[in-house]
Amino acid sequence: MASLSAKPFDIKDFAKTSGEYKNFVATMVIGMEGHPKILRYDLQKLVRFSAFSVLCAHGTIFGDDKTAIINVGMMLCISIISCLVICLIYMNNFSDLKDFDLKAMDRLAHQINSFVPFCLGLYVSLSLQRWWTLRVAALGKVFDSFCNLAMLISCELHAKKWTDLRTQVLKYGFGSLTLLTQAARDKEDLQKLVDQGCLTALEARAVQKHVDLWQRPMILWVWIMRISMSAMSHQKSPNPRIGALLAECTKANDGINTINEYVDTQLPFAYVHLITFLVNMQNITLAINAGLKFATAIPGMHYLAMISQVAMVCSVCFLYQALLQITYLLVDPFGDDTLDFPIKAYGCYLASTIHALLEAHPQCPVVAENGTLWRPKQAGQLLGMPACEILADSESDEDEVQGVAVDGF
């Protein structure tokens, strides 16, 4: 690891937009490594103007990964080879080629095609379900816990003496998200956390001692739990509030574990291999059958039949291969592909939300023992209202409780 030097932490650095721009249908953002990613898309435009309007755009099967197109080219080659072989066999009696019996080949193609769509559809459904679970029940749980923790700390530890504590929680929280992304990508870069101001040199070296990258974001959540629990104990906070804080920290840890489970535990290899084999056999059988039918149409010059066979190979083989291709594009959504999670954009939204939660306290009305609501001094001055009196509150600073009565209460 390079020489480490701490940098002042500023949550606004994390709230900066990540190069958001729009194309015809999708809203794109720039990921951590500088690659474009889809943040959202306009479904209405996609349906209204058809998929052909963005056929080669980022995020489509045609735009980024050419595997399906290459596979179609291979199937066309197989069709051509089968057509040439049967033509060479009937070279001396070419007119008899039109009577070539294709019933056996048709039955084979029909039997394979009868259960491949069902098996492939189930496999695609499982892949999409895993992708959605990773976003909502895993990564979303970590985000929600961090946001809820910020709200608890903002309300319970709002006094000025806890400013350093609140800042430290933010440092560790955003540092854990960076370490989580590095673990999912199997890339180590502790210098980045030091540059961001999330860790000091000493803290970075302590984290570096743990070789397993998945342990590192959990360590930061342990630190968050410990310093927050100690602060609330000094604050004499009721045990249920401390319990709520501990629950959010453990939920964040559960989310990290869930991500690790899904990334490191794939669907059974034998099952995935069988699905891939079925799709490959379906495409090869279709290509051979199409080549034979093309050859039988040559003696009678049935051009429509020949064109339909070429179109069937291109369309059917492409669709099957494209569905299979989508599954491996979704299997690890923490990479740099266009369809992967825009983690940087999610972090910008999370930072903006947490910043708003922490800045909400100064403008919050103060409640007196008799139930009267008073506006803080700073908020009253912004409204052009003079400060009236000081409310006795041993847990708050004087400049926070001095205020004016709130009209309408």
Side-chain angles (χ1 to χ4, degrees):
M1 184 171 58
S3 60
L4 301 174
S5 58
K7 169 193 171 184
F9 176 84
D10 189 356
I11 192 174
K12 294 180 181 178
D13 293 338
F14 292 86
K16 294 178 181 178
T17 57
S18 53
E20 184 175 314
Y21 64 96
K22 293 185 178 181
N23 57 26
F24 181 66
V25 171
T27 300
M28 311 292 294
V29 292
I30 303 300
M32 292 182 177
E33 304 296 332
H35 301 290
K37 296 188 176 185
I38 295 178
L39 179 62
R40 68 183 69 91
Y41 59 89
D42 191 332
L43 180 60
Q44 183 179 5
K45 280 186 177 180
L46 182 62
V47 175
R48 178 179 297 177
F49 297 102
S50 81
F52 292 99
S53 59
V54 288
L55 198 62
C56 297
H58 283 298
T60 64
I61 296 298
F62 294 93
D64 295 327
D65 198 316
K66 309 297 183 183
T67 303
I69 298 176
I70 294 174
N71 183 266
V72 170
M74 294 171 59
M75 295 304 107
L76 286 174
C77 292
I78 293 176
S79 296
I80 293 172
I81 293 173
S82 64
C83 179
L84 291 176
V85 168
I86 197 66
C87 288
L88 290 175
I89 294 174
Y90 281 85
M91 183 172 56
N92 296 328
N93 300 300
F94 196 71
S95 60
D96 295 338
L97 182 59
K98 62 181 179 180
D99 298 325
F100 183 75
D101 188 7
L102 292 171
K103 292 181 180 180
M105 199 65 189
D106 287 335
R107 284 196 299 269
L108 176 61
H110 176 74
Q111 289 177 354
I112 295 177
N113 192 51
S114 61
F115 56 86
V116 168
F118 171 77
C119 297
L120 181 59
L122 178 60
Y123 174 57
V124 173
S125 177
L126 289 173
S127 299
L128 290 173
Q129 183 180 1
R130 286 170 59 89
W131 178 86
W132 184 249
T133 302
L134 275 171
R135 176 61 185 92
V136 177
L139 186 62
K141 183 181 289 187
V142 178
F143 287 165
D144 292 343
S145 297
F146 190 15
C147 193
N148 294 338
L149 180 67
M151 179 179 290
L152 288 170
I153 292 177
S154 175
C155 294
E156 186 66 19
L157 305 173
H158 58 263
K160 283 187 176 179
K161 65 179 181 179
W162 302 117
T163 300
D164 291 341
L165 181 278
R166 295 194 297 268
T167 302
Q168 195 64 43
V169 169
L170 296 183
K171 288 181 179 180
Y172 290 157
F174 284 103
S176 70
L177 297 179
T178 303
L179 289 174
L180 175 60
T181 305
Q182 292 180 4
R185 298 182 177 183
D186 197 21
K187 294 181 180 179
E188 179 183 4
D189 187 8
L190 287 174
Q191 181 64 45
K192 182 177 182 179
L193 278 81
V194 178
D195 294 339
Q196 292 174 341
C198 295
L199 295 179
T200 63
L202 182 62
E203 292 169 339
R205 293 190 182 97
V207 172
Q208 191 181 27
K209 293 179 181 179
H210 298 269
V211 179
D212 191 342
L213 299 184
W214 288 103
Q215 297 174 352
R216 296 180 176 183
M218 299 179 187
I219 293 172
L220 266 61
W221 275 100
V222 172
W223 293 353
I224 291 174
M225 179 186 291
R226 184 169 181 176
I227 63 176
S228 301
M229 186 171 58
S230 298
M232 293 182 75
S233 297
H234 295 316
Q235 182 76 359
K236 303 297 190 295
S237 300
N239 288 332
R241 298 181 187 177
I242 299 178
L245 182 142
L246 299 182
E248 295 300 334
C249 293
T250 53
K251 283 196 298 184
N253 187 69
D254 291 342
I256 296 173
N257 280 325
T258 303
I259 295 174
N260 174 249
E261 291 167 2
Y262 273 80
V263 172
D264 285 353
T265 307
Q266 299 171 290
L267 292 173
F269 175 75
Y271 171 70
V272 177
H273 177 265
L274 179 60
I275 296 297
T276 306
F277 178 76
L278 288 174
V279 172
N280 293 338
M281 287 299 299
Q282 153 70 25
N283 289 345
I284 292 173
T285 304
L286 178 66
I288 294 174
N289 196 26
L292 296 178
K293 289 183 177 181
F294 188 96
T296 58
I298 294 177
M301 294 299 175
H302 300 300
Y303 297 108
L304 184 60
M306 290 186 282
I307 294 174
S308 65
Q309 294 304 315
V310 175
M312 184 173 63
V313 171
C314 293
S315 59
V316 177
C317 292
F318 175 82
L319 290 176
Y320 278 116
Q321 188 65 33
L323 288 173
L324 194 61
Q325 177 180 327
I326 287 176
T327 60
Y328 78 73
L329 292 176
L330 300 179
V331 69
D332 182 11
F334 292 94
D336 296 323
D337 296 330
T338 307
L339 296 180
D340 291 333
F341 294 148
I343 303 294
K344 188 176 182 181
Y346 295 159
C348 291
Y349 173 78
L350 183 65
S352 300
T353 302
I354 292 177
H355 182 258
L357 294 175
L358 297 178
E359 294 295 323
H361 170 69
Q363 289 75 36
C364 181
V366 181
V367 183
E369 291 184 3
N370 61 1
T372 305
L373 292 180
W374 296 77
R375 189 178 301 280
K377 176 180 177 181
Q378 295 88 343
Q381 291 175 348
L382 290 175
L383 296 174
M385 303 167 63
C388 290
E389 64 176 292
I390 298 176
L391 297 178
D393 184 359
S394 59
E395 300 298 334
S396 303
D397 297 334
E398 287 189 0
D399 60 342
E400 291 182 330
V401 301
Q402 183 177 1
V404 298
V406 179
D407 294 335
F409 292 102

